[in-house]
Each structure stands twice: as C-alpha cells, then as structure tokens.
Amino acid sequence: MTSAETRTDNRAAPLPEQVGATYDKFGPLFSLILGDSAIHVGSWADPADHGERTSATSLPELANQAMTRQTDRYIGLLRPRAGQRVLDIGCGTGGPAVRLARSSGAQVTGITVSGCQATTATELALSTGLHGQVSFDHGDAMQLPYSADSFDAALAIDSLCHMNDRPRALREAYRVLRPGGLLLLTEFTASGSPSREQLDTYHAVWATGPLLSPGEVLEMAEQVGFIAERMENDTHNASMTGELMRLLYHDRHDAVLSHFGQETTAQIDALMPALCAFTHDHLGHYIFLLSKPRASRSTPPGSSNGAGSL
C-alpha cells in the first residue's frame, strides 16, 4: 500500500473477504436506502434533458431514476459499441451491466467479491433474457481471472475504495484492457472537517479503505500507465444521495426491522445519523475517464505476467 493511501486517515483497508461479507449481509439494506436498480451515487439532474422530466410517485422510484440516470451518464462517457467486451469491476447486483449490454449491444462481464451479489446479478441477466450477453463472476478485482488485452472498456463504479491494494487493482484493470481501451473510474474523497465518529461509521458500513484526494487517484492511475482523459467533480450528487438515504431509511424502517431483526436494526439505527450526515456534508465524489495508451505494452510497470486466480 502506498503512503498516499495511508496519509488521509489511519486505518487498515479491508480484505476482499471482509468486503464480500459486508455486501452479503447488508446488501438488502443498501437496496432499501439507495434503490434497487444500482448501488452507487445517483444523478439528480440531467443537463441534457432540455426541461423534460419523468415524474416519480414515491421515494424509491425517485431513487431508482437517479441511479439509472447516473448509469446512463457513465455509459455515455464510456461509449461502448456492439460487439465490444466490457468489464464491470465491482458489478454489484448487476443493474448497470445489464443496462449497458441492452443499450449498446456489448458483451459485458461483471465481477464482485460478494457471492450473494454474483447470484443476484446472474438471476437478473436470466430474467431479462440477456444471460448470453452478460455474465457475472465471483472473484477478486485485484486478481482478475481474465487474459491480458481481453476487454475493450471497463467500469469501476464506486469499487476502488474497497480495494486494500488500489495500485494493484488498477494494474489488473490496465492488464486486461486492450491498447486504446477506456476505464471509467469513480472514487470518494473527504471534504471539510468530518468528525471521527462520522469517518469511522462511513468506513465500517461501507467496508472501505482510506479516502484519497482526486490528485492522489490521478497520480496512482498515471503511475500504472493510464492517461487521464477527463475528471468531473460529482460531489453535489453524493450530497443529495446522503439526504435520500436518510429519508428512505426512515420510510422503510419497518422493512429493515423485518429483514434484520431488532438487535441488528438497533445497531443500524445508531449508525445511520452519522453515516447520512457524513455523506451529505463531507463525502466528495469524482468521476475519472482513463485510457490505456494505444502503443502501450499489455503489462503495466511493476506487475507480473498472466491472469490472477480466484
């Protein structure tokens, strides 16, 4: 782990099995407080809608619209085409991968450290009739089980934060991308002066490593060999997502209680105020579009040849 990763706060990043266990256990909670179309930061305004709006009749519907709008934004930046192969690193429950495949005609492979998420995502692909075009694997993004130069593009939506060796994860993404391939990466940062309770709660709930600055993310990516094509500050959407989490948790508290029982729900009740406050007031969010040079070798500096194993 680099010094840049340990400078922001003094904590150990979680192991892959710890991240997987968190999503196995609390995946239903994340769907309740974020919507069930995706588990990422939503987009709350579309600058290209020219005044057109799709009405929502409930908070969950509003949340799903925001998640879908953000997914479409990512797809638009990545520009996948029919026949291309796209890798979704940290694919969650599969919504973005399925949407990308359906809208572009690309072949999509998703990978997640959560066995429950891999199963749910596979069921989604089957239910939408896209199981021949979209597949999901249970595995570690820091040891991708894919050949070098095997994907035209990749997504890593809010997933790099879970890696306990971020440079290694980026090297693996670089390795499996073909020369000229694009990686769309999102990452969280901290702003202002969050309390220790807020930071500890954020890291505990989401099973994340230290928060990096945008500059540290760019430096890390460039050291691997990527070229930075674009960076966007998406913090305003993270702030609104924090407010939505607070509202949805209140409205769906009975569902949380029914699923998790009184003891675990009481523990979640104690964490949610600090989590929502931190997300609303102090959580930054950035979007990075990176490219692998067309004339670059497949294996980035400092890495070994060959695919990793599960």
Side-chain angles (χ1 to χ4, degrees):
M1 186 176 298
T2 67
S3 59
E5 286 184 276
T6 57
R7 182 181 62 77
T8 304
D9 54 51
N10 298 319
R11 69 185 66 247
L15 297 174
E17 53 266 30
Q18 293 173 313
V19 177
T22 295
Y23 278 91
D24 285 347
K25 181 176 181 179
F26 291 108
L29 171 67
F30 301 150
S31 294
L32 286 170
I33 64 175
L34 288 171
D36 52 20
S37 66
I39 304 174
H40 58 221
V41 169
S43 179
W44 298 95
D46 184 355
D49 66 8
H50 304 295
E52 298 178 6
R53 297 289 187 274
T54 301
S55 61
T57 58
S58 66
L59 276 176
E61 187 178 352
L62 184 67
N64 284 333
Q65 286 182 7
M67 296 295 158
T68 298
R69 189 181 298 116
Q70 188 77 304
T71 296
D72 288 345
R73 183 182 177 199
Y74 295 150
I75 294 171
L77 289 170
L78 202 61
R79 305 187 303 276
R81 300 190 304 274
Q84 289 189 325
R85 293 192 67 203
V86 179
L87 177 63
D88 187 354
I89 301 169
C91 61
T93 51
V98 166
R99 191 167 182 86
L100 187 152
R102 182 187 288 120
S103 65
S104 68
Q107 296 283 327
V108 184
T109 301
I111 187 166
T112 172
V113 292
S114 165
C116 291
Q117 285 188 337
T119 298
T120 300
T122 299
E123 291 171 351
L124 176 63
L126 288 168
S127 69
T128 55
L130 293 172
H131 58 282
Q133 187 181 348
V134 187
S135 62
F136 297 97
D137 295 321
H138 178 209
D140 182 357
M142 293 179 291
Q143 299 183 57
L144 291 172
Y146 313 117
S147 300
D149 300 347
S150 55
F151 291 94
D152 299 284
L155 294 156
I157 304 174
D158 301 348
S159 60
L160 189 68
C161 60
H162 296 300
M163 313 295 178
N164 67 342
D165 190 338
R166 285 171 165 117
R168 182 178 180 182
L170 286 172
R171 287 195 298 269
E172 279 291 271
Y174 186 100
R175 180 182 64 80
V176 302
L177 277 174
R178 295 183 177 123
L182 294 175
L183 169 65
L184 188 141
L185 167 71
T186 64
E187 182 60 289
F188 295 105
T189 65
S191 62
S193 301
S195 68
R196 175 52 55 184
E197 178 192 7
Q198 289 173 339
L199 276 171
D200 288 346
T201 300
Y202 166 77
H203 288 295
V205 172
W206 291 113
T208 63
L211 291 161
L212 305 182
S213 71
E216 288 168 343
V217 176
L218 285 174
E219 180 181 12
M220 195 179 298
E222 289 172 354
Q223 286 176 348
V224 166
F226 282 110
I227 297 171
E229 302 285 349
R230 181 170 183 158
M231 182 182 79
E232 295 183 15
N233 186 342
D234 194 47
T235 298
H236 62 289
N237 280 317
S239 178
M240 186 60 194
T241 299
E243 179 64 14
L244 176 87
M245 286 165 48
R246 183 184 67 81
L247 294 171
L248 279 176
Y249 187 74
H250 178 270
D251 284 4
R252 295 179 138 184
H253 192 268
D254 287 346
V256 175
L257 181 62
S258 175
H259 184 88
F260 290 99
Q262 290 186 349
E263 183 177 353
T264 300
T265 300
Q267 295 171 351
I268 299 171
D269 287 346
L271 294 172
M272 286 304 294
L275 176 66
C276 293
F278 175 76
T279 305
H280 183 272
D281 298 332
H282 299 293
L283 187 65
H285 190 246
Y286 285 78
I287 302 169
F288 303 88
L289 187 65
L290 311 172
S291 66
K292 179 175 178 176
R294 293 186 180 278
S296 175
R297 59 184 179 179
S298 299
T299 304
S303 65
S304 59
N305 292 322
S309 59
L310 290 175

